[in-house]
Structures are given as structure tokens and as C-alpha cells.
Amino acid sequence: MADEVATAVEAAKTRFLTGENFYAQHFLGAHQSSQGYVFRVWAPNAQQVWLVGDFNDWDDTLPMTVSSESGIWEVTTKLPKEGDLYKFKVRQQDGREIFKIDPFAIYFEKRPGNAAVVHTIPEKKWRDGLWQGRKKRSNQFKRPLNIYEVHASSWKHHEDGTPYSFADLTRELVPYLKEMNYTHVEFMPLMEHPLGRSWGYQLIGYFALSSYYGTPEEFQDFVEACHLNNIGVFVDWVPGHFCINDDTLPYYDGTPTFEYTDPDRANNVRWGSLNFDLGKPQVQSFLISSAMFWIEMYHLDGIRVDAVSNMIYRDYDEGPWTPNHEGGNRNFEGYYFLQKLNAVIKLAHPEVIMVAEESSSETKITGMIETGSLGFDYKWNMGWMNDVLRFFEMDPLFRQHHFNLLTFSFMYMMDENYILPLSHDEVVHGKKSLMHKMWGDRYKQFAQLRTLFTYLITHPGKKLTFMGSEWGQFLEWKFDEGLEWVDLEDDMNHKMQHFTQTLNEFYRSEKALWELEGTWDTIEVIDADNTADSVLTFIRQGKTKKDFLIVVLNLAPVERQSFAIGVPYPGTYQEVLNTEMVEFGGTWTKHNDVCESLPIAFKQFDQQIQTIVPALGTLIIRPEQINTRKAKKVSK
């Protein structure tokens, strides 16, 4: 038996060195054994490594031995017990001695300390089999995807100012997600990080749920509760760069270990961090093992990979850069690592959704790797977000001259599989909240926020909004405080929340908004040229001819009477959503009457309807009784 274990460990080491061990946490880090605990750490150029912790008064009485071929140090001891703190004392290549964290630790003490905790996560008997089975059988691209983005420690705080743990979030956030009709929740990074101000994007523990948020077991219970309520869970992950704190990952053994050897490539000037050497096999094993650990240990439904542009372009950062061997700016190591990451995850878990936060258009991000893509399922559409928010911040007097900001996305919306993000990045650092961005007085701001959300829901692409936006929080997001839940005592905020809840339910129930997504058949523009009135009209189409919705967005503070809209078939049409209804915070007490089509040509259609479109409002109109055998378009 001992020989079999030794053989397995040696095989694991070999795979780690070649970049093919995707479960490296099973032998690196701290593990129970028949002789107590075995600790292993990769530090190939260290002169000596010791295990130190509560169990030996942090003294160097437990020297580790090294396998010269692998650079992995090891010690077995009966001294530690569950809950003890530990680190590795590393005598680096130049003789400097420094305490370092365990890169493979699965739990850390609460900050400001960063010692690892000897912790064994008990095997959980999951109860989400129905969710998992349904997920494997369904086509995620043809299903609704509406994500509520959350920063775990600032969604709510207790009365004493302490943040909610995942035990608290299970009791309150899960029912809220269900009540608000979101399909998924996405958390900003949950992995261990030393500074809350980084929002979790400066990581030290790639296998550890931050103890600031609770225990690993509590997060497992949260995910299970989400699945039992038909809600998926995504987590942000940062494989491009890591925290620069000296006692964590940087220059672990005194030489470039996790980072690039070239200091210009290693140093991330923009974020004050260090870039992973994504071409190093051991780093590939480390990072892919981290992703697999989170997917399998916590039954995650998706991972959003942060800062992909920084990983695939050498010149993305603000510091000096050198061209690649072809003379260009492509970071081939990052490019091929991401393809490998997605290939490994899709082979093991084809149903897991991989999302890229990426801001350029020079690289194909989504689609099959065989076609030259990075292999992600979705890409955040940062262009749509920036253009649309610029438009909504603009005085309507000037919108007619910049209508392309609203419509330009129609030119490229099928180039990738997109998620349309109204994310945390847009409601912080002086950018103002979504509500505060809107032009005009408070009433007009709410009216436009409802129209913005309706455009988000009806535009092709999956959806993401940041917490607090759903009721129009006016203040910017603060990472160290809870959301302004007191806002909901105000009637307008309460009605805005009700509107978002209604809109989310509408999105989930209307197949025309997602059934043909990813194909041009899902949309037909009626009129994107009415810049004078600042009104945009288009159709979202389902699989059957009669299953479609007409969307009418009025971006001017002027009500449009007897407004003409081209329709594909003769018959009657019924308004099914009006953003200016009193129940949502508007002034309309009843819907428009049913419209009878008129045989009057409108652009490519030989029929039109006429209705009233509210100022700064949006209508969604559904066919009621139509004749689909009639010609749809005007003869040329």
C-alpha cells in the first residue's frame, strides 16, 4: 500500500512538472495521512524549507526534504491538529529567510493575518442532483441567462456593521434572487485576498474561500440552496496576475517562480501586482487545478475569467513591453494557456459556463478552439456597455446626433456570444451609480433607468446587472458598507425594484428573447434611423412565426402620438409591457388600446400599427391575432 501511494505521488509530481496535473491540490498543500499530516510545497530554487506553525511555536524544528527532480519539499508530522495555523519558512536562493504562505491552502486565518489553517473540508452529500441533471441536458445558449452580480461582503451588513457571511446570505440572498427572478448570481472573487479595497482581484489563496466570507462548508451550503431554487452560481477568478505582498506568492524561492523571469513582463504596473508566467508548466498545473477545484468542490455553474486582455496582449499594461518573436503584441503564453484551460474544463465539465472579461476586438474569444478562438462560452460586451451608458448620460437634445451609440452594437452583435454587463466597474470611482448617470430630474432618471433595463433585456445577448441597481440606488457602491436598503422605504425606489422583478420574469417567460439567440434570426430591426424623434424599434423573434415581440424605445422626453411602427403581418397587436405604468413609478394608469394593423408600407413592411409611445419610455408589443400567410415585406 505504501508503495502504491509513493508511486501515485511521483506520478502526480511528474504531471505537475509537465503542466498536466489538473488536481495538484490533491498532493501539494496539507493532507491527512496515516502518520499525521503531510505537507508539500513547490520551491525549486530554495536552499531549505521548514514547516512552522502553532504546533511548534513557529520555530524551524520541522525541516522539509526536497525531491531535486521536482523541486517539491515535503515533511510528514503528527504535531499539527485541525485548526492550527501554519506557514513555510523558506531560505531563498540568496540565503534570505522569509515566512511564506502555502499556495495550495484551502483555508486561511482572517485578515490581517495570512497564515494557512490546517483544515479538512468534509465530504458533502449534495442534494442538487436534479439541477445538475437538468443543466447537463439543456442547451445553455438557448436558455435565459440573467445574472445578479454581487460583492459578497457589501450586499448587506449587520446592525453592528459586520458583513454577512455565506450562512447569512443563504438565509436572505437566495430568497431575494428567487423573488427577483434572476437566473444566476455571480460573485466578485471569493478567493483569499489580504485587502478588501482590492474587491478580491489581488489574490493570494487560489484554493481558499476567503475566511472573511465564512467557511468553505457554508459556501457549499449556499450553492446547494441556490440550485434547489433553480439559481446558478458563477464566481470571478483571476489567473492573470496576483498580489505582490512579499510573504505570499512573489518570488517564492527567491527566483521567478510563479511570475515571468523578464521583470517587464512580470511587473503589472497598472494594478501593482505580478503577472503569472502562463507558459510555465507548473504554473499551468497550479491555475487549472484551482479552476477545477472551485468547479468541483463548490459545484459552480460557471467561472468568469478576469482581465483576459492583460493575459493575451503584451502591450496591455502601462509599463514597458517587448514584442514577441514575430514582432507583434500577442502574448502567446497567455493565448495558449487560455485555450488549454477551456479545453480541460470543457472535457471534464462541458456544462460549465466559461466567461471572459475582455475589452478588445482583435482576438476571437468565444466559440470552438479549433477555429482559432480562445474557447470561452461568453464574452462581456464592454463596447455595448460603454456606448449605451454614454448615450443615457447625454442630454436628449443631443441624442439625435449620437444615435449610433445606441445602435452600433447591431453591426457586430453576432461576432461573439455576448453577455451585456452593467457591472460593478460602472458604479464606482466617481462614475456615479446607474441611477445617478441618467439625465434630468429624479422622475426622468427613474424613467430612463427603466428604459435602460428594458433595452438590456430585449437586446440580443445574456444579461448582467450589479447589486443595488435593481432599485435605482443613487449613491455609488462602497465596498466596505452594505447597500442602501433604506432606499426601499421611498415609493419610487420600491416601484423601481418591482419593475425589475417584473421585467426579469418577463425575460424568463418570453422565448422570443432567447430561443434563437446567437443567430441573426433572433432580431429584425424595424427602424434604427429615426434619429429626429430618438425612437428605436426592432423585433425579437422566437422559433415560430407568431412568437415575436416588438420593442419600441423612446429616448426623448416627448410623448409620441399616433406613432407608426412597421409590423410583419396584418392583424391585431397588444401592448404587454409599458415602462411608464403607475405601478412602476410612471404616470400611465392604463395600457394602450389593441392596435389594428393598417395596409400602409413602412420601410420593409407592408403593414403598420399606430400607438402612443410615452416620453422616455419603452413599449413591448405582442401579436394577438395575425395572418402569417400574408406577405411580410414590401415588394421591391
Side-chain angles (χ1 to χ4, degrees):
M1 183 66 178
D3 290 342
E4 291 177 3
V5 171
T7 300
V9 168
E10 289 306 312
K13 288 179 180 179
T14 300
R15 293 195 301 274
F16 176 76
L17 295 177
T18 58
E20 297 300 319
N21 190 323
F22 309 132
Y23 295 93
Q25 76 278 7
H26 287 176
F27 80 102
L28 284 159
H31 300 278
Q32 287 181 322
S33 75
S34 57
Q35 285 130 356
Y37 284 88
V38 58
F39 294 80
R40 298 187 185 94
V41 64
W42 176 58
N45 295 305
Q47 293 186 23
Q48 178 61 51
V49 179
W50 295 268
L51 173 66
V52 297
D54 291 338
F55 40 84
N56 65 350
D57 295 324
W58 300 91
D59 201 1
D60 52 7
T61 58
L62 287 172
M64 305 175 75
T65 58
V66 65
S67 163
S68 57
E69 295 83 8
S70 66
I72 293 174
W73 297 77
E74 178 177 334
V75 66
T76 300
T77 173
K78 293 183 178 180
L79 291 177
K81 60 182 183 299
E82 286 283 306
D84 280 349
L85 303 181
Y86 74 95
K87 285 190 175 185
F88 297 116
K89 182 179 178 181
V90 180
R91 180 181 294 156
Q92 297 181 321
Q93 187 184 56
D94 62 0
R96 178 178 179 234
E97 294 184 355
I98 183 171
F99 289 119
K100 285 282 192 177
I101 67 165
D102 178 0
F104 286 85
I106 59 172
Y107 199 45
F108 285 84
E109 65 176 326
K110 288 188 177 178
R111 55 182 186 246
N114 66 1
V117 178
V118 178
H119 184 76
T120 303
I121 302 175
E123 185 174 352
K124 180 177 177 62
K125 294 182 179 179
W126 288 85
R127 298 178 296 139
D128 62 350
L130 184 62
W131 166 269
Q132 298 289 2
R134 186 164 56 243
K135 186 173 65 173
K136 290 178 180 179
R137 292 190 299 271
S138 65
N139 181 347
Q140 49 143 318
F141 297 104
K142 308 303 179 186
R143 297 291 302 161
L145 182 61
N146 186 9
I147 304 166
Y148 187 64
E149 187 190 25
V150 172
H151 179 253
S153 61
S154 61
W155 186 70
K156 272 190 180 181
H157 278 202
H158 295 289
E159 290 184 4
D160 63 0
T162 58
Y164 273 26
S165 68
F166 267 105
D168 300 316
L169 293 174
T170 300
R171 288 189 293 270
E172 294 196 29
L173 177 55
V174 175
Y176 184 76
L177 293 166
K178 186 175 183 179
E179 177 187 358
M180 291 298 294
N181 296 308
Y182 289 101
T183 67
H184 290 71
V185 61
E186 177 179 322
F187 288 100
M188 294 161 69
L190 300 177
M191 299 81 184
E192 192 60 70
H193 54 283
L195 183 65
R197 191 174 294 275
S198 76
W199 312 338
Y201 292 98
Q202 297 276 6
L203 300 181
I204 62 172
Y206 276 77
F207 296 82
L209 177 81
S210 175
S211 55
Y212 192 69
Y213 301 141
T215 67
E217 294 88 333
E218 287 173 338
F219 183 51
Q220 286 181 324
D221 290 343
F222 174 87
V223 174
E224 180 177 72
C226 282
H227 290 173
L228 293 175
N229 285 277
N230 296 318
I231 298 163
V233 182
F234 293 174
V235 169
D236 287 7
W237 182 60
V238 191
H241 61 98
F242 55 93
C243 177
I244 204 169
N245 287 10
D246 192 35
D247 56 347
T248 60
L249 298 182
Y251 299 96
Y252 199 88
D253 60 13
T255 67
T257 310
F258 292 94
E259 56 277 283
Y260 288 104
T261 302
D262 179 349
D264 286 343
R265 300 189 68 189
N267 292 322
N268 192 308
V269 177
R270 178 180 307 210
W271 295 314
S273 57
L274 287 168
N275 294 319
F276 280 108
D277 182 349
L278 298 172
K280 186 177 288 185
Q282 298 92 330
V283 172
Q284 293 178 1
S285 289
F286 172 76
L287 289 173
I288 296 177
S289 293
S290 168
M292 292 288 281
F293 171 83
W294 280 85
I295 290 168
E296 296 181 355
M297 178 60 70
Y298 297 110
H299 282 205
L300 292 185
D301 304 287
I303 288 179
R304 194 211 72 157
V305 178
D306 183 64
V308 167
S309 293
N310 180 65
M311 301 170 70
I312 60 177
Y313 300 115
R314 285 177 173 235
D315 60 348
Y316 182 77
D317 193 21
E318 298 169 353
W321 69 283
T322 54
N324 60 36
H325 66 278
E326 294 182 352
N329 68 343
R330 168 76 73 217
N331 180 1
F332 287 110
E333 293 94 331
Y335 182 88
Y336 291 121
F337 165 76
L338 289 170
Q339 286 190 325
K340 180 177 180 177
L341 167 74
N342 285 316
V344 170
I345 289 176
K346 286 299 180 180
L347 181 63
H349 301 285
E351 73 285 357
V352 167
I353 296 173
M354 297 296 292
V355 181
E357 187 266 320
E358 203 278 327
S359 55
S360 77
S361 58
E362 300 172 32
T363 300
K364 179 70 172 169
I365 303 298
T366 63
M368 296 180 63
I369 292 171
E370 291 79 3
T371 65
S373 157
L374 291 181
F376 285 95
D377 295 302
Y378 295 102
K379 170 185 176 178
W380 273 21
N381 192 339
M382 314 291 276
W384 177 89
M385 176 188 68
N386 290 325
D387 288 349
V388 167
L389 291 181
R390 279 179 59 200
F391 183 87
F392 273 85
E393 289 180 277
M394 191 178 297
D395 188 317
L397 182 66
F398 305 109
R399 287 177 179 175
Q400 61 180 315
H401 307 298
H402 300 277
F403 213 60
N404 64 307
L405 289 173
L406 197 67
T407 60
F408 179 62
S409 57
F410 289 161
M411 303 294 293
Y412 66 86
M413 59 187 170
M414 299 302 163
D415 289 355
E416 302 269 14
N417 298 324
Y418 286 115
I419 289 177
L420 309 178
L422 296 174
S423 72
H424 66 275
D425 278 325
E426 303 312 306
V427 296
V428 74
H429 293 328
K431 294 182 182 180
K432 301 185 290 189
S433 67
L434 290 187
M435 172 66 175
H436 196 182
K437 292 178 194 290
M438 302 295 106
W439 168 86
D441 59 30
R442 193 163 185 262
Y443 178 87
K444 293 184 178 70
Q445 287 178 320
F446 273 113
Q448 289 169 102
L449 188 60
R450 293 191 296 268
T451 285
L452 170 63
F453 279 10
T454 309
Y455 191 41
L456 167 75
I457 289 296
T458 57
H459 190 291
K462 308 306 185 185
K463 329 296 176 185
L464 179 143
T465 50
F466 186 59
M467 62 183 195
S469 300
E470 71 270 21
W471 71 73
Q473 177 170 306
F474 187 80
L475 296 179
E476 279 192 341
W477 167 57
K478 299 180 181 70
F479 76 92
D480 54 353
E481 298 180 16
L483 295 177
E484 299 287 329
W485 292 93
V486 68
D487 287 350
L488 293 174
E489 296 176 9
D490 182 278
D491 187 55
M492 290 296 287
N493 290 110
H494 186 73
K495 287 182 175 180
M496 181 68 213
Q497 185 190 47
H498 169 60
F499 171 76
T500 304
Q501 178 188 43
T502 303
L503 186 66
N504 288 348
E505 171 58 26
F506 184 82
Y507 170 65
R508 292 184 75 147
S509 63
E510 292 295 332
K511 293 182 179 181
L513 295 176
W514 37 264
E515 199 170 36
L516 297 179
E517 203 159 53
T519 72
W520 286 104
D521 293 335
T522 191
I523 187 168
E524 181 170 11
V525 175
I526 299 173
D527 191 359
D529 301 318
N530 189 351
T531 58
D533 291 337
S534 292
V535 178
L536 171 64
T537 52
F538 58 90
I539 292 171
R540 289 300 307 275
Q541 182 67 53
K543 282 185 179 180
T544 65
K545 283 185 178 182
K546 292 185 178 182
D547 184 17
F548 63 89
L549 299 169
I550 298 169
V551 183
V552 186
L553 298 105
N554 183 4
L555 289 309
V558 180
E559 184 173 277
R560 304 298 179 187
Q561 297 281 335
S562 301
F563 188 80
I565 305 162
V567 295
Y569 307 108
T572 57
Y573 291 80
Q574 174 70 57
E575 177 184 296
V576 292
L577 190 139
N578 183 329
T579 62
E580 280 300 294
M581 299 303 291
V582 167
E583 66 171 306
F584 301 142
T587 59
W588 284 46
T589 58
K590 65 175 185 176
H591 287 278
N592 278 302
D593 293 335
V594 173
C595 299
E596 180 82 32
S597 68
L598 303 171
I600 303 172
F602 187 100
K603 293 221 167 185
Q604 73 268 36
F605 302 106
D606 61 6
Q607 299 280 322
Q608 66 172 251
I609 57 173
Q610 296 180 2
T611 192
I612 304 171
V613 184
L616 298 174
T618 298
L619 305 180
I620 299 181
I621 299 167
R622 189 203 314 276
E624 190 176 62
Q625 292 184 338
I626 57 173
N627 185 350
T628 59
R629 290 172 294 181
K630 290 283 188 178
K632 177 182 177 183
K633 299 182 180 180
V634 174
S635 300
K636 296 291 184 181

